[in-house]
Amino acid sequence: MSEEKGPDQRATEQSPENVPVPEGTTSERAVGVRTGMFGVAGTGDTSGYGGLVKPTVFPGAAQRPYGGWFDTVADSLDALIERVVIHRGEITFHVHRDHLLEVAQKLRDDETLRFEFCSGVSGVHYPEDTGRELHAVYHLTSMTWNRRIRVEVSCPDADPHIPSIVSVYPTNDWHEREAWDFFGIIFDGHPGLTRIQMPDDWPGHPQRKDYPLGGIPVEYKGGSIPPPDQRRSYN
Amino acid sequence: MTQTNQGEDLYAQGSDTSDGRVFTVTGQDWDSVVQGVSEAADDGAERVVVNMGPQHPSTHGVLRLILELEGETVTEARCGIGYLHTGIEKNMEFRTWVQGVTFCTRMDYLSPFYNEMTYTLGVERLLDIEDDIPEKAEVMRVLLMELNRLSSHLVAIATGGMEIGALTVMTIGFRERELVLDLFELITGLRMNHAFIRPGGVAQDLPPGALDEIRDFVALMKKRLPEYAALCNANPIFRARLEGVGHLDLSGCLALGLTGPPLRATGYAWDLRKAQPYSGYEDYDFDVMTWDTADSYGRFRIRLAEMHESLKIVEQCADRLAGLEGAPVMVADKKIAWPSQLAIGSDGMGNSLDHIRHIMGESMEALIHHFKLVTEGFRVPPGQAYVPVESPRGELGAHVVSDGGTRPFRAHFRDPSFTNLQATSVMSEGGMVADVIVAIASIDPVMGGVDR
């Protein structure tokens, strides 16, 4: 692209950032939709923008070469990973739950990988990502190589089982208990999967999207303000 | 509905223990316990299970310790946590990205700026504005974080001293911490719960005279920090209580995910400020402190030494800030930057009158813009980010997930107190019951961060 931009150039080439992405290039499927332009329903908006429907698409799969040490790590795991996503300089390996334990073992023990340090697991609930509603996200650090990666595993709501990696990373003991407590992800093979933050007899898993935030209306000088999850809000 | 469900409270059922005798000990009644235990021992039962806490001065807040004792030796130690769980992560999903800072600053209440920082760094990475943060904002963030490291380590040393009976260490620790909190109050307006570091920069410029105050503080601390060393480092009682207690070597630390002073006390110089610098830490001259004993004494010495390093960084920040007078502290992008600046008026701190005049009298568009940004907030592109920072207790990271909306889809904090507290068992089992307190104090857990 060494030629000067001039008036003869087509508009799509002058500002390629404004051209719609062609169909089929994003391999990631939508995990939900966002409607309207202002994120508010029931306002009597007559502009027509309220009818917009826009899918929520997370960054798509990256293509090889990934660049730098990303390829080194990807090469060692190649057969075990479903998809690699690189976004904002962070690499995410999506792994099927059947392979998680093997991947973790390899990441920790392989001479060229040496991810000695696990920062725990973070659960995320995507209620509209059908068949993969619950995600468990692991952040791993290689102190030897000073590298940081993310490993993401998903499981359906109907079968919320993910193998525990406490046998590989003992630090995940409490982290997996927390993810069970808040999301209801059952970590198979965990030495004692009990609730950790909520009381032992608590019903439900509070950080799931279908669990209400709770709260009561607040009254102030005659006015009544509904709790945060029932207020008019933008999305 | 059957009749049996009527009037049954799900959460208020009995919690009586099913076996063994229960003693409730609140002080001054040890005789009855000793007598009871010796009676029980006659029955062949020598095992005593002690519940310490949840509210006890030496549990750093609301931690429940379940200790199984044989005589004075701890055979099993378990932590019961969750007594301070307030659902901050869930609440953040119902507020805008900027309001999220106000929530997460309350997690680890001894190091609020680090909570704000890791969350803000995650949001900025998703917004792809990491390179656009003004220099002055970055220096002010480092300044506040290092001051915060001082105040947090001071509390760690002060409460740790108090728990082994060294009350002077506590009083002087809190005396110095008060000075740091005064600086926080001067710069952010609050002693805690600042919500000062925000996506795009910091909330406000330095007030007039702040640099002089900071320099006075540094000069004073340089005189006072050696007092801690003189009081504690070679103190035979102090050393006898700390040395060899709560031992955890490097492989143990890595397996259990311990970071911060416990990891550096094994001799491994792992510090995210050096290893994966953020907010311009690569431009500062400081050293990573290590010790080689892997015990409570080493962790104490590391905290003490790190305070000197923090002072060095604070000095460098003050020098750089002196040359940055009037520079912006918020990102230039008007679609992200908070629209108004605060100013002191006749009735205290509030929106600056110049800004009010501009939006109310001069520009309709500016008013709309202000209104939209404050009520709706900005949108963050879909994706996830994890940018950890080196908090006084170790690796503190926020896993921030956006679905493209004006509110976080999920924000999860990997708090070092939570992770490090897992080491209670390995650090204290097989030791004396009095050493459990020292081991926990050397981890320096903050229950606000553990339970979130």
Side-chain angles (χ1 to χ4, degrees):
Chain A
M1 295 290 284
S2 59
E3 60 188 300
E4 287 285 310
K5 284 186 182 177
D8 294 338
Q9 204 180 16
R10 290 171 55 197
T12 50
E13 287 164 14
Q14 283 179 34
S15 47
E17 69 275 12
N18 291 335
V19 179
V21 178
E23 197 82 24
T25 45
T26 46
S27 57
E28 191 85 8
R29 57 210 182 104
V31 297
V33 290
R34 184 175 302 284
T35 54
M37 190 161 185
F38 309 108
V40 183
T43 55
D45 166 34
T46 53
S47 67
Y49 286 113
L52 281 176
V53 179
K54 209 176 146 196
T56 301
V57 182
F58 276 78
Q63 301 300 319
R64 274 186 188 268
Y66 306 134
W69 58 266
F70 287 175
D71 286 297
T72 321
V73 180
D75 287 342
S76 332
L77 299 174
D78 219 1
L80 300 168
I81 42 185
E82 284 182 328
R83 192 169 72 248
V84 177
V85 175
I86 299 173
H87 183 58
R88 304 274 192 255
E90 294 185 10
I91 189 164
T92 309
F93 295 98
H94 288 259
V95 175
H96 192 271
R97 55 179 170 175
D98 294 346
H99 301 309
L100 176 64
L101 207 53
E102 201 180 334
V103 166
Q105 192 80 51
K106 207 164 180 176
L107 283 172
R108 194 192 69 175
D109 294 341
D110 195 313
E111 292 278 338
T112 57
L113 302 175
R114 284 257 184 267
F115 285 88
E116 311 95 339
F117 183 78
C118 180
S119 299
V121 54
S122 158
V124 188
H125 185 207
Y126 298 93
E128 289 169 74
D129 191 4
T130 317
R132 311 186 330 187
E133 287 91 350
L134 293 166
H135 290 228
V137 184
Y138 304 82
H139 292 100
L140 303 171
T141 309
S142 164
M143 291 173 167
T144 308
W145 301 100
N146 200 9
R147 295 166 178 169
R148 200 177 275 282
I149 59 166
R150 181 185 293 123
V151 173
E152 191 162 343
V153 188
S154 64
C155 62
D157 227 354
D159 177 33
H161 289 268
I162 286 176
S164 164
I165 59 166
V166 172
S167 54
V168 184
Y169 294 107
T171 175
N172 269 29
D173 182 354
W174 283 17
H175 290 279
E176 285 180 5
R177 281 175 65 191
E178 190 186 347
W180 147 252
D181 195 355
F182 287 146
F183 292 91
I185 302 173
I186 300 167
F187 291 93
D188 296 320
H190 188 284
L193 195 66
T194 52
R195 285 185 185 272
I196 188 162
Q197 301 284 12
M198 308 303 287
D200 289 344
D201 52 359
W202 191 265
H205 301 281
Q207 285 191 3
R208 293 169 54 90
K209 290 286 178 187
D210 49 14
Y211 193 101
L213 179 66
I216 55 165
V218 177
E219 288 180 15
Y220 181 67
K221 291 192 175 177
S224 176
I225 299 147
D229 58 341
Q230 289 160 35
R231 283 178 208 159
R232 199 188 83 168
S233 65
Y234 301 89
N235 64 7
Chain B
M1 288 294 278
T2 54
Q3 201 66 27
T4 49
N5 284 343
Q6 292 284 324
E8 203 176 280
D9 189 337
L10 191 58
Y11 302 114
Q13 287 165 353
S15 58
D16 294 331
T17 177
S18 53
D19 55 335
R21 278 184 70 185
V22 177
F23 301 94
T24 305
V25 182
T26 50
Q28 285 107 40
D29 48 1
W30 278 104
D31 288 344
S32 66
V33 179
V34 171
Q35 194 188 351
V37 170
S38 56
E39 279 170 18
D42 293 340
D43 303 339
E46 291 174 0
R47 203 177 64 117
V48 183
V49 179
V50 173
N51 267 304
M52 206 167 89
Q55 291 193 335
H56 188 275
S58 65
T59 52
H60 291 246
V62 275
L63 170 68
R64 177 186 171 204
L65 278 172
I66 306 150
L67 306 173
E68 199 180 297
L69 306 177
E70 253 184 51
E72 268 199 87
T73 308
V74 180
T75 52
E76 266 190 70
R78 293 288 178 272
C79 291
I81 63 169
Y83 295 94
L84 208 54
H85 177 60
T86 45
I88 291 177
E89 289 172 1
K90 176 91 173 173
N91 267 293
M92 287 170 78
E93 292 170 15
F94 293 87
R95 314 287 168 148
T96 65
W97 289 98
V98 174
Q99 284 173 321
V101 177
T102 315
F103 276 83
C104 69
T105 188
R106 285 157 167 77
M107 295 178 150
D108 181 345
Y109 43 78
L110 290 185
S111 54
F113 288 114
Y114 294 90
N115 302 332
E116 299 173 14
M117 188 66 186
T118 181
Y119 168 75
T120 298
L121 285 175
V123 177
E124 283 169 357
R125 180 166 288 180
L126 285 178
L127 284 167
D128 205 10
I129 56 167
E130 282 178 295
D131 299 331
D132 305 331
I133 308 303
E135 184 191 354
K136 186 164 190 184
E138 295 212 317
V139 179
M140 280 180 70
R141 287 173 175 185
V142 172
L143 171 79
L144 289 167
M145 282 196 288
E146 292 308 321
L147 285 172
N148 201 172
R149 191 181 308 277
L150 276 162
S151 73
S152 177
H153 279 350
L154 282 168
V155 173
I157 289 173
T159 54
M162 179 192 71
E163 281 154 16
I164 59 171
L167 284 182
T168 311
V169 179
M170 183 198 71
T171 50
I172 61 172
F174 276 99
R175 179 187 68 187
E176 261 76 87
R177 174 180 183 249
E178 206 61 24
L179 302 175
V180 185
L181 294 190
D182 286 346
L183 285 179
F184 287 166
E185 194 177 351
L186 177 71
I187 296 170
T188 73
L190 293 162
R191 289 157 54 90
M192 61 190 297
N193 302 340
H194 311 277
F196 191 74
I197 297 174
R198 298 183 183 175
V202 294
Q204 212 183 341
D205 204 346
L206 277 182
L211 286 182
D212 295 332
E213 294 280 339
I214 292 166
R215 291 215 174 89
D216 290 348
F217 167 77
V218 172
L220 184 64
M221 283 303 280
K222 280 192 171 163
K223 268 213 302 271
R224 287 196 177 167
L225 274 186
E227 287 178 15
Y228 289 84
L231 181 61
C232 304
N233 283 1
N235 184 327
I237 304 175
F238 205 76
R239 292 185 69 141
R241 285 303 306 274
L242 295 185
E243 275 179 339
V245 173
H247 182 90
L248 193 63
D249 62 6
L250 179 59
S251 51
C253 278
L254 286 185
L256 287 170
L258 266 74
T259 43
L263 178 63
R264 289 192 283 273
T266 66
Y268 185 33
W270 177 259
D271 189 321
L272 289 173
R273 293 178 293 172
K274 285 278 189 207
Q276 295 161 3
Y278 47 90
S279 198
Y281 263 114
E282 61 272 25
D283 301 335
Y284 298 91
D285 173 35
F286 68 100
D287 295 317
V288 179
M289 291 294 131
T290 57
W291 203 258
D292 59 359
T293 53
D295 62 358
S296 300
Y297 183 71
R299 290 166 206 145
F300 162 75
R301 289 298 292 264
I302 283 176
R303 292 202 174 93
L304 202 54
E306 279 183 358
M307 289 202 283
H308 287 280
E309 297 303 308
S310 290
L311 271 188
K312 265 164 69 179
I313 303 177
V314 168
E315 266 189 314
Q316 294 169 49
C317 288
D319 291 345
R320 282 180 68 178
L321 285 170
L324 285 169
E325 210 165 325
V329 294
M330 230 334 151
V331 68
D333 187 346
K334 292 278 184 211
K335 292 291 174 196
I336 294 167
W338 195 251
S340 68
Q341 284 286 313
L342 297 173
I344 306 272
S346 55
D347 56 346
M349 178 84 76
N351 277 336
S352 92
L353 291 176
D354 287 340
H355 180 71
I356 302 288
R357 189 180 310 117
H358 180 58
I359 60 172
M360 299 308 286
E362 293 169 2
S363 170
M364 180 72 171
E365 287 71 27
L367 176 64
I368 296 171
H369 176 79
H370 180 115
F371 179 75
K372 285 295 278 181
L373 203 53
V374 172
T375 58
E376 179 177 353
F378 49 79
R379 286 170 196 278
V380 173
Q384 50 188 336
Y386 179 79
V387 193
V389 298
E390 186 73 31
S391 96
R393 277 160 274 282
E395 175 177 321
L396 173 72
H399 177 221
V400 181
V401 186
S402 172
D403 67 341
T406 57
R407 305 187 298 194
F409 187 72
R410 163 97 169 115
H412 173 260
F413 284 74
R414 186 264 185 212
D415 193 277
S417 300
F418 177 81
T419 317
N420 294 3
L421 203 55
Q422 292 187 91
T424 307
S425 309
V426 277
M427 281 187 186
S428 39
E429 281 174 11
M432 307 296 272
V433 67
D435 291 342
V436 176
I437 310 302
V438 176
I440 290 180
S442 77
I443 297 173
D444 185 29
V446 175
M447 298 315 288
V450 174
D451 292 340
R452 284 155 289 143

